[in-house]
Amino acid sequence: MTLKKPKTPKTPKEFFEYAKENNAEMMDLKFVDLLGTWQHCTFPLDALDEDVFEDGVGFDASSIRGWQSVNMSDMLAVPDPVTARMDAFFAEPTVSVIADIVDPIAKKYYTRDPRYIARKGEEYLKKTGIADTCCIGPEPEFFIFDQVRFEQNQHRGMYEIDSVEGAWNSARFEEPNLGYKPSFKGGYFPVSPTDTYQDLRGEMTNEMRKLGIGIEAHHHEVATAGQAEIDMKYGPLLEIADQFMWYKYVIKNVAKRNNKTVTFMPKPIFQDNGSGMHSHISLWKNGKPLFAGDRYAGLSELALHAAGGILKHTAAILAFAAPTTNSYRRLVPGFEAPVNLALSGRNRSAAIRIPMYSAKPKAKRLEFRCPDPTCNGYLAWTAMMMACIDGIKNKIDPGEPLDRDIYEMTPEELTGYKHTPRSLEEAVNALEEDHAFLMAGNVFTDDVIETWASYKRDNELREMALRPHPYEFHLYYDN
């Protein structure tokens, strides 16, 4: 199937023409909260005019995670006509549009709006003169399950997931059970019938292609139980962050349409590979790539300094890029998770890998392998870019490459390399101690850093610390 990139509007007038051409009767306005989840409200199109693209619509920001207090709750969501797309998951023809958030009194963009932070980041990059474009190419992974159950209260804490592909179901009575269950850590690239989700991933892919999202490939991933990967084609940071919101939305809704459920949790299955989101980053100027050169792995000196910036600030970046307690169930040795803060051509155990598939200059990029898909792309990728800028400005040395197989190295040999944080708490602490690089150009602000850290501590770290863990009953009940 050949799909043309959809014709999308650029002005308010073109937005209403686009809606009419597609027989849309509703506008669904979406915006992203601080943690990276879309919120939405739907309006009949005949109740709107072009003024909505200047005046916006009011909403209660005190009900949005990490945003306003009750006494300062009124905010405006101002739709961006360029983001208009037809939404495939409504019964009525509906045009979806992404909004920016504006303070109704000051008439200024809201500092805690992640989309605004990403836009400021792109503007700051241009002002530095280093580059005019930061390209991001994400590789999100996720699990497709048949069922999930979980509960947490005063007297019970449990979860249970199931998948027809789960290796644990090889003996289940399925009338008939045909086998074909990918084994633990045995799910990478099998063909049908072991890969049962080829058609479902294809459906997800084509829904995204209809929206103009470039997709490079899809395949089964390493873990059992329906782990999947659909790779996005690289593009400018803000554009890809917008597309990543559509990506999650489409995948979850296509799964639901097929009576399946998707999770982007990094580590839902014990003793099997987790889901990461390797993020490729490169800088360009006047249409030319800046990361190709004659240094290590075909990189330029500028690219090496950019890598040095990411490696120096990895712990702080991961407060945004691996932002959950579950993220650090994945970032452990032994499951291909990159825990060593080093640069390497081809070595997948290093935090930054240099893909060597092509020698073309435009293919030269850094693949930062630590992020996972629970992150807010607007914040995580902007933080990565700011670290690159800091590395370039200060000529930060990335250190000696890690080209050896780490499983053959002794603990003494590995002591020369720093590691990723071992917990979300360590990452949040690092962010509080090391965030000056994020605040250059006023891209991130004090209130964003403080709100993020306090939200993570109050709503995630503290709440996790209060609750007994099911495994503690195994360890301690009969002591």
Side-chain angles (χ1 to χ4, degrees):
M1 176 171 61
T2 301
L3 294 173
K4 294 182 179 179
K5 189 171 183 178
K7 180 183 177 182
T8 54
K10 292 182 175 61
T11 66
K13 180 181 178 182
E14 289 178 1
F15 170 85
F16 285 100
E17 292 171 353
Y18 172 82
K20 185 176 181 180
E21 288 170 7
N22 288 278
N23 300 312
E25 298 183 10
M26 299 285 175
M27 179 185 82
D28 194 58
L29 183 146
K30 297 177 170 72
F31 62 87
V32 62
D33 70 10
L34 189 64
L35 273 69
T37 300
W38 255 350
Q39 314 295 318
H40 82 128
C41 186
T42 308
F43 305 84
L45 278 166
D46 59 14
L48 303 172
D49 58 29
E50 292 182 23
D51 288 345
V52 74
F53 290 92
E54 182 176 345
D55 299 337
V57 296
F59 70 98
D60 174 12
S62 69
S63 297
I64 305 301
R65 298 180 300 178
W67 279 10
Q68 295 291 86
S69 58
V70 173
N71 63 314
M72 298 285 285
S73 63
D74 285 359
M75 297 293 279
L76 294 172
V78 181
D80 181 351
V82 176
T83 66
R85 301 290 187 276
M86 291 303 296
D87 195 310
F89 303 104
F90 289 92
E92 295 292 332
T94 300
V95 57
S96 283
V97 63
I98 301 173
D100 297 306
I101 309 305
V102 173
D103 184 300
I105 305 301
K107 299 297 182 183
K108 293 182 178 179
Y109 288 112
Y110 185 41
T111 57
R112 297 185 206 170
D113 176 7
R115 196 166 189 263
Y116 179 45
I117 293 170
R119 190 186 308 113
K120 284 192 293 180
E122 289 189 324
E123 291 169 356
Y124 174 67
L125 175 66
K126 294 174 184 176
K127 287 178 182 177
T128 65
I130 293 169
D132 54 37
T133 305
C134 175
C135 283
I136 300 292
E139 299 179 359
E141 298 169 344
F142 53 93
F143 280 89
I144 304 166
F145 294 139
D146 288 278
Q147 180 174 281
V148 59
R149 298 190 304 122
F150 51 89
E151 183 177 20
Q152 180 69 60
N153 55 37
Q154 291 82 357
H155 71 100
R156 180 175 14 214
M158 59 79 65
Y159 72 88
E160 184 176 355
I161 54 179
D162 205 3
S163 166
V164 70
E165 276 198 1
W168 56 83
N169 282 325
S170 60
R172 185 170 68 174
F173 186 69
E174 292 182 351
E175 297 185 318
N177 188 327
L178 300 178
Y180 304 125
K181 317 287 186 188
S183 63
F184 292 105
K185 300 189 72 170
Y188 192 67
F189 275 27
V191 297
S192 177
T194 301
D195 178 5
T196 66
Y197 288 123
Q198 170 71 24
D199 290 340
L200 183 57
R201 292 193 310 270
E203 185 179 339
M204 293 168 174
T205 294
N206 281 332
E207 286 291 359
M208 287 189 279
R209 291 172 66 213
K210 291 174 187 176
L211 294 165
I213 299 173
I215 299 297
E216 293 191 333
H218 72 80
H219 59 85
H220 204 291
E221 254 300 337
V222 173
T224 190
Q227 191 183 33
E229 179 176 318
I230 302 179
D231 297 337
M232 299 171 67
K233 182 177 175 59
Y234 72 90
L237 190 155
L238 180 61
E239 178 182 324
I240 296 300
D242 283 345
Q243 290 184 1
F244 183 49
M245 299 306 300
W246 274 109
Y247 180 106
K248 285 186 169 183
Y249 179 75
V250 167
I251 283 174
K252 289 178 179 179
N253 279 285
V254 169
K256 184 175 181 290
R257 191 161 72 189
N258 287 272
N259 204 30
K260 303 286 184 180
T261 180
V262 157
T263 184
F264 290 94
M265 273 181 69
K267 192 76 169 185
I269 298 177
F270 175 52
Q271 290 188 330
D272 207 345
N273 281 35
S275 293
M277 186 174 66
H278 306 153
S279 295
H280 299 251
I281 186 168
S282 59
L283 299 181
W284 298 61
K285 190 172 186 178
N286 299 324
K288 296 180 180 179
L290 301 180
F291 276 11
D294 58 1
R295 304 291 292 276
Y296 174 77
L299 294 176
S300 64
E301 184 177 38
L302 181 141
L304 289 172
H305 290 152
I310 291 177
L311 292 173
K312 177 181 178 179
H313 299 298
T314 290
I317 294 169
L318 291 186
F320 294 115
T324 69
T325 58
N326 188 254
S327 300
Y328 299 87
R329 312 281 191 240
R330 167 184 170 258
L331 289 174
V332 295
F335 293 94
E336 285 193 7
V339 298
N340 301 287
L341 298 187
L343 174 76
S344 180
R346 305 180 69 177
N347 190 338
R348 293 169 188 266
S349 65
I352 298 178
R353 185 177 77 98
I354 313 304
M356 304 298 287
Y357 303 124
S358 173
K360 293 180 179 178
K362 68 178 183 179
K364 279 299 168 190
R365 71 268 193 195
L366 306 177
E367 180 191 29
F368 188 40
R369 296 174 62 81
C370 301
D372 67 59
T374 56
C375 77
N376 182 333
Y378 298 100
L379 301 182
W381 295 324
T382 303
M384 285 173 55
M385 182 189 69
M386 296 299 287
C388 287
I389 294 171
D390 187 63
I392 293 165
K393 280 188 166 185
N394 294 293
K395 300 187 184 315
I396 297 174
D397 185 352
E400 288 298 313
L402 177 59
D403 289 331
R404 292 180 57 190
D405 184 342
I406 63 166
Y407 301 111
E408 295 179 354
M409 296 174 68
T410 66
E412 290 75 20
E413 289 174 317
L414 284 170
T415 56
Y417 297 95
K418 292 182 179 180
H419 297 276
T420 54
R422 289 173 171 79
S423 68
L424 177 60
E425 184 173 20
E426 283 189 24
V428 171
N429 289 342
L431 175 64
E432 290 179 319
E433 295 170 4
D434 174 29
H435 58 261
F437 74 100
L438 295 171
M439 302 182 70
N442 202 38
V443 174
F444 285 78
T445 51
D446 281 329
D447 72 313
V448 172
I449 303 296
E450 291 167 5
T451 301
W452 185 269
S454 63
Y455 186 94
K456 290 293 172 178
R457 284 212 170 88
D458 294 344
N459 296 280
E460 298 176 32
L461 293 170
R462 187 172 299 162
E463 293 300 321
M464 285 288 290
L466 288 172
R467 286 161 171 76
H469 189 285
Y471 195 62
E472 290 177 320
F473 283 81
H474 174 80
L475 291 173
Y476 308 127
Y477 187 78
D478 197 32
N479 278 14

